[in-house]
Amino acid sequence: MIKTTFLTLLLAMMLVSCKSDRTVAYGEYAQNVSLNGTWQFLASNEVDENEILSGSYSAWDTITVPGNWDTRKKYSEFVGKGYYQKTFNVPDNWVGKHIRIKFDAVYETSKVWLNGKLLGEHVGGYLPFEFDITEDAQIGRPNSVVVMADNTYKRGAWWAWGGISRNVALLADENIRIVYQHITSEPDFDKGSINFIIKYKVENKGNTSLTAHIVPQIENVHLDSLKIKIDKNATAISTLKFERKLSDFKLWHFNDPNLYQLTSQLIVGEKLADMTTDKFGIRKLEVRGEQFYLNNEPVRMNGVNRVHDHPDYGNTEPDHLITSDMLDIKALGCNFARLMHAPLSENLLKLCDSIGFLIVEEIPVWGDDDPQSFPDNPLTKQWLKEMVERDFNHSSVVGWSVGNELRDPEGPWEEKALTANQYDYVNSMLDYVNELDTTRLKTYVTITSYRKGEIGSEPYEKVDFISMNSYGNAPLLAQKTHEKFPGKPIFISEIGTGQIGPAPAGKLTDELVGYLKELKEFPWITGISLWSYNDYRSNYKGTPASGFREWGVVDEKRNKKEAYFQLKKVYDEWHMTPSLKSNQ
């Protein structure tokens, strides 16, 4: 174990804080240079990419990154390829460092060139990707990065906002760095302890093998260091396990979202090579029989779905918007939802960590005709892996979903799915979740659970709870689901009876209000989530002439409808039931 005095000395040399995304400088160099801001922009499905790479960009339009081109009137209906270009300089003191360029999200398929060289491609519009540009970046001379974003691919009823929708940055590292630290902190209520597991992935880009020490610290608690050996040009994974008294910590709960901070230093010899910090909460959401238990107490949690959409911001999710939205959703009495059929923005997850909102995250596989819903699909596995690795430390994330409104193509009903083997897809993806994360709940959203006939290939046994959407008689359909698949909790992941209508007069139907109240009486219903919080832009069938689907309790500008106050009254009544008084 490295001596405490040495550790203290190193800590004294650090700045006050250091974030896991390396946005703060420490040591002798800044590790992060933002490339956000003004970029050159060209929207064209006809241009020759070779000409773009060798041409001038001065005649192009300008656009702000992060952003979506379709928030601007002149590009509001453009579908296809948008080209972005920016000239940047690498800091002079990055000589000898390993340099990466990272994109937090580009919708939906993308290519990236640096100084005319293709770095690579990425498919998937909601998750980060990066390229090592150590050999290609020029120090002392300007560099030109060109990005192609194509928003042709579309799933679901939400708008396929195009462009570089989240941050872009240059990152610098030593030969060795911490790729991630994944922390699990699971309470054992019988023993009165917490089992901590920290899994580290470390990368060595040097030409010699290295032995390093990882020195972790939770708040002011010093932990044993972890010795790790990494071969040259390789990665290594190592795990630190330890136990602490439950009474020494405060648990994370939707009413009391306590967070702790894990800081880990990577030390080679006596030199600090890297340091990373993540916040986490200590909580346990589990299924026992037909109920959810949060921190050893039975809970029923309601929610509302939220579409990442705003006419001014597209799906870029600025801090002020998500703060306003999520605090308002909490004020409605909501604590639990999927929110959206795609990986959520990281700033939204951090906010949910801090306010106590529980989330099931989902990859964007949607509907019975989704072309990605075939077994062992490498692309959907990539999406799931990217999402789990990015979001592992978020205490708000309590489950993973592998798709929405999927069905058995061999079922005995009259309707026939357009895509075969959707439940073979679900089976393979639920198995893959187990490879990535065994600490969270698993589900998918079914639209066949309440239909007549044999169980067939529906992977009922592999999910921890059943998620079902209902735009009909939800209590009746929920009862049918319960009869067909007893013994597990059911979450009504979407509920509605039609579009609510525009603000301010749009309201929930009396029928829907009755359904919401009736569902409260079923003990195996663990919660409901209305579709949706906000109206959202769409060109899906049934969208009103306004261009916004009016399913929300607030409109696209967040003006409240009568439906908002109806929903709040219903959820307040849920929270007043005797069985929930101690938990809500």
Side-chain angles (χ1 to χ4, degrees):
M1 180 176 179
I2 292 180
K3 292 181 180 180
T4 303
T5 52
F6 177 58
L7 172 63
T8 304
L9 179 62
L10 285 172
L11 287 172
M13 297 170 61
M14 301 302 108
L15 293 182
V16 174
S17 64
C18 177
K19 300 180 182 178
S20 59
D21 56 4
R22 275 68 168 184
T23 58
V24 176
Y26 72 85
E28 298 179 352
Y29 63 97
Q31 285 191 293
N32 180 300
V33 173
S34 174
L35 295 185
N36 293 348
T38 302
W39 289 53
Q40 306 300 116
F41 178 71
L42 174 68
S44 175
N45 290 317
E46 309 296 333
V47 70
D48 185 323
E49 290 180 349
N50 291 323
E51 292 182 4
I52 283 181
L53 298 175
S54 59
S56 170
Y57 310 104
S58 60
W60 287 17
D61 200 353
T62 57
I63 199 167
T64 300
V65 169
N68 302 115
W69 66 63
D70 19 14
T71 59
R72 297 177 59 181
K73 185 176 180 179
K74 67 190 296 186
Y75 305 116
S76 63
E77 301 293 332
F78 178 75
V79 176
K81 296 179 179 180
Y83 293 88
Y84 293 73
Q85 187 275 338
K86 188 175 185 68
T87 301
F88 65 89
N89 291 306
V90 176
D92 291 340
N93 57 358
W94 281 14
V95 174
K97 309 300 180 186
H98 286 272
I99 305 170
R100 294 171 286 136
I101 185 168
K102 181 180 179 183
F103 299 84
D104 282 351
V106 180
Y107 193 84
E108 193 271 337
T109 60
S110 57
K111 293 181 180 180
V112 181
W113 295 265
L114 180 65
N115 300 326
K117 176 184 176 181
L118 178 65
L119 296 177
E121 304 180 22
H122 184 262
V123 179
Y126 306 105
L127 289 162
F129 61 96
E130 62 185 43
F131 300 104
D132 188 317
I133 60 171
T134 305
E135 301 299 323
D136 302 301
Q138 303 172 149
I139 298 179
R141 291 187 295 168
N143 295 269
S144 173
V145 59
V146 175
V147 179
M148 184 280 292
D150 188 337
N151 72 334
T152 304
Y153 186 82
K154 174 178 170 59
R155 294 306 306 162
W158 65 94
W159 190 260
W161 296 100
I164 304 176
S165 56
R166 295 177 190 160
N167 296 328
V168 186
L170 298 177
L171 306 172
D173 301 282
E174 303 291 343
N175 284 347
I176 186 172
R177 70 180 179 102
I178 299 173
V179 178
Y180 62 66
Q181 57 177 6
H182 287 168
I183 183 165
T184 301
S185 51
E186 187 169 285
D188 185 325
F189 297 101
D190 293 330
K191 292 176 60 179
S193 63
I194 303 171
N195 297 310
F196 288 91
I197 302 173
I198 309 175
K199 179 181 177 182
Y200 293 98
K201 182 177 181 180
V202 178
E203 180 181 54
N204 176 16
K205 290 223 170 178
N207 293 322
T208 59
S209 298
L210 291 173
T211 298
H213 286 87
I214 299 174
V215 182
Q217 181 176 349
I218 296 177
E219 304 293 341
N220 296 317
V221 179
H222 299 291
L223 307 172
D224 289 344
S225 66
L226 179 67
K227 186 177 180 181
I228 184 170
K229 183 176 180 179
I230 314 100
D231 292 335
K232 62 180 181 180
N233 296 310
T235 59
I237 291 177
S238 190
T239 301
L240 178 67
K241 298 181 180 181
F242 55 97
E243 188 177 295
R244 290 292 186 272
K245 291 181 181 179
L246 183 59
S247 57
D248 291 342
F249 292 86
K250 295 180 179 180
L251 298 180
W252 187 96
H253 189 279
F254 52 71
N255 285 336
D256 198 7
N258 296 294
L259 293 172
Y260 292 90
Q261 185 165 287
L262 168 68
T263 298
S264 296
Q265 302 173 32
L266 182 66
I267 299 171
V268 180
E270 294 189 354
K271 179 182 178 183
L272 177 67
D274 197 8
M275 183 170 74
T276 186
T277 294
D278 287 284
K279 290 186 176 181
F280 68 97
I282 301 169
R283 52 98 182 101
K284 186 175 185 179
L285 182 70
E286 60 186 320
V287 168
R288 298 183 196 168
E290 297 175 348
Q291 285 188 300
F292 277 167
Y293 280 73
L294 177 61
N295 298 338
N296 215 28
E297 295 180 342
V299 290
R300 299 171 79 185
M301 302 176 292
N302 295 320
V304 65
N305 295 278
R306 173 187 178 272
V307 183
H308 54 210
D309 187 282
H310 190 282
D312 296 334
Y313 312 115
N315 70 353
T316 57
E317 302 285 67
D319 289 344
H320 67 87
L321 177 65
I322 62 168
T323 300
S324 175
D325 282 1
M326 292 309 302
L327 290 179
D328 194 34
I329 287 172
K330 281 281 286 188
L332 272 169
C334 300
N335 295 317
F336 178 66
R338 280 181 305 162
L339 290 182
M340 183 65 194
H341 306 313
L344 304 169
S345 64
E346 199 164 12
N347 57 342
L348 187 148
L349 294 176
K350 289 179 180 178
L351 179 68
C352 290
D353 293 343
S354 69
I355 66 173
F357 193 94
L358 289 80
I359 289 170
V360 174
E361 276 204 283
E362 187 171 85
I363 57 173
V365 176
W366 184 90
D368 60 16
D369 62 342
D370 194 298
Q372 303 300 338
S373 57
F374 59 88
D376 295 311
N377 182 349
L379 183 58
T380 56
K381 285 186 173 182
Q382 172 197 315
W383 293 344
L384 187 64
K385 185 173 187 289
E386 290 173 346
M387 180 174 69
V388 171
E389 289 192 352
R390 187 196 67 170
D391 299 337
F392 192 92
N393 293 325
H394 288 290
S395 49
S396 57
V397 179
V398 294
W400 308 114
S401 171
V402 301
N404 179 62
E405 294 187 351
L406 305 177
R407 60 192 290 183
D408 182 353
E410 303 302 326
W413 38 86
E414 293 182 2
E415 302 96 329
K416 188 167 180 63
L418 301 177
T419 300
N421 299 321
Q422 281 202 306
Y423 286 156
D424 290 340
Y425 158 81
V426 173
N427 265 296
S428 68
M429 291 300 290
L430 291 174
D431 289 343
Y432 190 54
V433 173
N434 286 334
E435 296 180 30
L436 299 172
D437 182 11
T438 59
T439 69
R440 289 177 169 88
L441 304 181
K442 305 185 298 297
T443 193
Y444 68 95
V445 180
T446 172
I447 54 170
T448 59
S449 61
Y450 44 77
R451 298 182 186 270
K452 295 179 181 179
E454 298 297 324
I455 290 177
S457 62
E458 189 141 4
Y460 155 72
E461 293 295 341
K462 288 188 178 182
V463 299
D464 294 297
F465 66 99
I466 295 170
S467 299
M468 58 167 283
N469 296 346
S470 174
Y471 291 93
N473 186 330
L476 176 62
L477 299 179
Q479 283 181 311
K480 289 183 176 181
T481 298
H482 178 62
E483 291 168 4
K484 189 176 177 182
F485 301 114
K488 292 200 175 184
I490 296 174
F491 179 64
I492 311 296
S493 41
E494 294 177 30
I495 190 170
T497 53
Q499 298 194 40
I500 292 169
K507 62 183 295 184
L508 308 180
T509 64
D510 292 340
E511 182 182 42
L512 179 56
V513 172
Y515 291 160
L516 295 173
K517 292 181 177 180
E518 188 177 349
L519 287 165
K520 180 179 64 173
E521 305 304 317
F522 301 150
W524 33 265
I525 292 289
T526 197
I528 53 178
S529 187
L530 184 80
W531 188 274
S532 60
Y533 171 69
N534 58 301
D535 292 351
Y536 51 98
R537 187 179 178 188
S538 177
N539 54 7
Y540 195 72
K541 60 184 179 181
T543 300
S546 65
F548 293 90
R549 292 178 73 79
E550 296 168 346
W551 293 86
V553 296
V554 301
D555 70 10
E556 69 277 6
K557 290 283 192 177
R558 278 44 178 182
N559 298 303
K560 290 180 172 64
K561 305 178 186 179
E562 188 174 337
Y564 178 96
F565 304 99
Q566 289 176 286
L567 184 65
K568 181 168 175 54
K569 182 178 179 182
V570 170
Y571 282 174
D572 284 346
E573 291 175 358
W574 270 70
H575 293 175
M576 291 299 291
T577 57
S579 63
L580 298 180
K581 281 184 178 178
S582 63
N583 302 314
Q584 301 287 336

